[in-house]
Amino acid sequence: MRLTLFALATLIASTNAFIASITRHAESAECTLTASGSDDAPQFLNAVQTCDTVVIPASETLEIQTRLNMTGLSNKNFNLQGTIRFKPDIDYWSGNAFFIPFQTQVTFWLLGGENIVMNGGGTLDGAGQAWYDAFVSNSTLLRPITMTIFQAENVLIENIRMINSPEWHNLVNEGKNVVYSNITIHAESTSDNNPANTDGWNVYRSDNVIIKDSNIVNGDDCVAFKPNATNVVVSNLTCSGSQSLGQFAGMFDIVRNVSVVNIRMSNAKNGARIKAWAGRNVGSGIVQNVTFKDFIVDNVDNPIVIDQCYETDPDVCAEFPSNTFIQDIFFKNISGRASGSTVADLACSPDGRCSDINVNDLELSAGSGTATFECQNVELEGNSANLFPECTETGSN
Ligand SMILES: *[C@@H]1O[C@H](CO)[C@@H](O)[C@H](O)[C@H]1NC(C)=O
Ligand SMILES: *[C@@H]1O[C@H](CO)[C@@H](O)[C@H](O)[C@H]1NC(C)=O
Ligand SMILES: *[C@@H]1O[C@H](CO)[C@@H](O)[C@H](O)[C@H]1NC(C)=O
Ligand SMILES: *[C@@H]1O[C@H](CO)[C@@H](O)[C@H](O)[C@H]1NC(C)=O
Ligand SMILES: *[C@@H]1O[C@H](CO)[C@@H](O)[C@H](O)[C@H]1NC(C)=O
Ligand SMILES: *[C@@H]1O[C@H](CO)[C@@H](O)[C@H](O)[C@H]1NC(C)=O
Ligand SMILES: *[C@@H]1O[C@H](CO)[C@@H](O)[C@H](O)[C@H]1NC(C)=O
Ligand SMILES: *[C@@H]1O[C@H](CO)[C@@H](O)[C@H](O)[C@H]1NC(C)=O
């Protein structure tokens, strides 16, 4: 643990150094945008090309009616005090949102390049209500991700509010040194149709990502680690969502060096969760060195989960265990109340696919019934291992 925390401090220190280096760039030109009354995308794109700093004053709501390709930028500041709203013109976006091959996603906005800062206290409004309603009658509708950090290095997004994304709020896709700090995310539907899949963040093929000091109210995962997310630190979040990790066929995926600390989670489906598919024709990979520490949960269905047979029938999982190996996992100081009786469920595939799984200082109570700690196919270590009767003595069963 001492090594982990020391390395964490180093990571944060090096990240602070790059933040300092990007904020030092002198601004040679600052441009202030005012709403045009029609599509503001052209003037926004133009300003980003020609100005170092783009200011959107608090009085202004820019309406984006066409897609924003802001790739390959260098040394740009977005001072967003007002609002950027993405018009929910479903017909337009259905043909024109940028396609992201991973998990068949689309996005309103690609933001990439190097040394990019966005702050100012303003709002990104995904205007998701029309999308939540349309999705109910068309489950193949592709709903855009609000903001995708795309092929970017040294990015700082701070003091920003994001509301009602049609789908994931943020995707970090091929990013390096990306920091989000003090972000407020709120997705809420005013109809009976849920704000489905409105994840806070997904991190994919990215290295050295920090997400901290933020509040998330949404209809899906708070932060999801997707293939090839390495050196990710998530700290001090309040979430009503879940952490998760996805796995897709035909890819080799690595998730390494992830720390999730100081998290408050309420009214959520899952708390600290690692999931991996099993069965025929799934991908392979490794999930290694993942720490979930200092969590307080309240009314969470599954506070602690490893599911290495995710969406896989148990017989099939026994025959074709997951090819994603799960190693060096730490659940530490996790307390609070589940919604039902299962407070922890660590289900590994057979054949030693999980190893060095550590459970320490678990203080979890049941919302109803007797608290149960379920477990299979893994030998647990740590001072809370005795809570898991099936896994304490013999390990694999
Ligand atoms: C975005 O713009 C860049 C630079 O003009 C271009 O190379 C790239 O193909 C565009 N991306 C998409 C997805 O249209
Ligand atoms: C559902 O959405 C898809 C993707 O946008 C679109 O191609 C299809 O036409 C829509 N179907 C209906 C019935 O509107
Ligand atoms: C956090 O961001 C909000 C805007 O969303 C801002 O009002 C607040 O001052 C920020 N907090 C800090 C500590 O900077
Ligand atoms: C945790 O995040 C909140 C914002 O959600 C902030 O007000 C608070 O200062 C942060 N705590 C620490 C210890 O940084
Ligand atoms: C993840 O990284 C490994 C090693 O570099 C690579 O072989 C694999 O194709 C990557 N997977 C994805 C989904 O990018
Ligand atoms: C994980 O962290 C260790 C220690 O900081 C480092 O040596 C290793 O390269 C990291 N792994 C990846 C995949 O970045
Ligand atoms: C585990 O990951 C954390 C970052 O999340 C890193 O600081 C630490 O050095 C890694 N430990 C090892 C042994 O690689
Ligand atoms: C356990 O986690 C809680 C919640 O984050 C924190 O307040 C407490 O200080 C932690 N306990 C220890 C011993 O670190």
Side-chain angles (χ1 to χ4, degrees), residues 275-317:
K275 68 183 187 189
W277 271 260
R280 280 176 221 266
N281 305 320
V282 293
S284 59
I286 183 159
V287 177
Q288 187 177 29
N289 182 27
V290 178
T291 297
F292 297 97
K293 186 166 134 3
D294 303 341
F295 274 53
I296 297 181
V297 302
D298 183 39
N299 191 30
V300 170
D301 296 346
N302 303 292
I304 296 182
V305 183
I306 291 179
D307 186 356
Q308 212 181 18
C309 294
Y310 186 67
E311 291 182 347
T312 313
D313 179 86
D315 294 339
V316 175
C317 190

Side-chain angles (χ1 to χ4, degrees), residues 67 69-72 98-99 110 150:
R67 65 189 195 167
N69 178 355
M70 294 188 187
T71 51
F98 297 107
F99 184 63
L110 294 174
F150 184 77

Side-chain angles (χ1 to χ4, degrees), residues 64-393:
I64 303 303
Q65 300 181 6
T66 50
R67 65 189 195 167
L68 296 176
N69 178 355
M70 294 188 187
T71 51
L73 303 179
S74 181
N75 302 324
K76 296 294 175 185
N77 294 310
F78 295 80
N79 183 345
L80 173 64
Q81 299 166 24
T83 298
I84 295 174
R85 179 178 185 273
F86 293 85
K87 186 181 181 193
D89 177 348
I90 292 174
D91 287 346
Y92 168 77
W93 294 111
S94 290
N96 293 290
F98 297 107
F99 184 63
I100 307 266
F102 176 64
Q103 293 191 339
T104 320
Q105 301 287 334
V106 296
T107 188
F108 290 135
W109 190 0
L110 294 174
L111 180 59
E114 55 176 20
N115 304 340
I116 298 166
V117 176
M118 183 183 301
N119 54 23
T123 301
L124 300 175
D125 180 356
Q129 188 65 49
W131 294 96
Y132 309 148
D133 293 338
F135 184 56
V136 168
S137 50
N138 182 357
S139 63
T140 63
L141 180 66
L142 294 178
R143 293 155 296 148
I145 296 165
T146 295
M147 182 163 67
T148 299
I149 301 299
F150 184 77
Q151 298 176 345
E153 190 163 344
N154 300 349
V155 177
L156 171 62
I157 314 280
E158 66 177 349
N159 308 339
I160 295 292
R161 209 160 66 97
M162 300 182 80
I163 57 174
N164 297 331
S165 183
E167 229 255 354
W168 303 345
H169 287 80
N170 294 287
L171 168 64
V172 186
N173 187 110
E174 294 163 32
K176 190 169 168 58
N177 305 340
V178 178
V179 178
Y180 293 85
S181 175
N182 186 32
I183 308 297
T184 303
I185 291 179
H186 195 115
E188 193 175 329
S189 173
T190 53
S191 70
D192 290 339
N193 305 321
N194 292 330
N197 310 108
T198 50
D199 296 12
W201 287 266
N202 274 257
V203 180
Y204 173 62
R205 290 186 176 165
S206 292
D207 185 49
N208 200 5
V209 176
I210 295 180
I211 299 170
K212 64 187 180 74
D213 304 337
S214 295
N215 265 293
I216 299 91
V217 175
N218 69 353
D220 210 306
D221 291 342
C222 193
V223 181
F225 308 104
K226 295 294 169 69
N228 291 7
T230 51
N231 303 304
V232 183
V233 175
V234 176
S235 70
N236 187 27
L237 303 193
T238 302
C239 308
S240 72
S242 65
Q243 316 280 343
S244 88
L245 186 137
Q247 169 74 24
F248 276 77
M251 287 183 168
F252 181 70
D253 305 337
I254 296 171
V255 173
R256 272 209 176 107
N257 296 1
V258 173
S259 267
V260 187
V261 299
N262 190 10
I263 307 291
R264 294 154 300 279
M265 243 175 165
S266 58
N267 307 324
K269 201 162 180 308
N270 297 285
R273 176 171 69 161
I274 295 175
K275 68 183 187 189
W277 271 260
R280 280 176 221 266
N281 305 320
V282 293
S284 59
I286 183 159
V287 177
Q288 187 177 29
N289 182 27
V290 178
T291 297
F292 297 97
K293 186 166 134 3
D294 303 341
F295 274 53
I296 297 181
V297 302
D298 183 39
N299 191 30
V300 170
D301 296 346
N302 303 292
I304 296 182
V305 183
I306 291 179
D307 186 356
Q308 212 181 18
C309 294
Y310 186 67
E311 291 182 347
T312 313
D313 179 86
D315 294 339
V316 175
C317 190
E319 192 179 350
F320 303 98
S322 179
N323 289 318
T324 297
F325 286 75
I326 298 179
Q327 294 172 5
D328 307 323
I329 310 298
F330 300 85
F331 295 98
K332 186 173 163 65
N333 184 25
I334 298 188
S335 65
R337 189 179 58 93
S339 55
S341 58
T342 302
V343 300
D345 189 357
L346 304 177
C348 290
S349 280
D351 296 342
R353 305 293 161 112
C354 282
S355 57
D356 196 13
I357 311 293
N358 299 267
V359 288
N360 282 288
D361 308 330
L362 305 185
E363 301 271 355
L364 289 163
S365 62
S368 63
T370 308
T372 56
F373 293 76
E374 291 172 15
C375 169
Q376 58 185 351
N377 300 320
V378 60
E379 199 163 337
L380 296 177
E381 295 171 34
N383 65 19
S384 295
N386 63 336
L387 295 171
F388 295 82
E390 297 101 324
C391 292
T392 319
E393 285 172 29

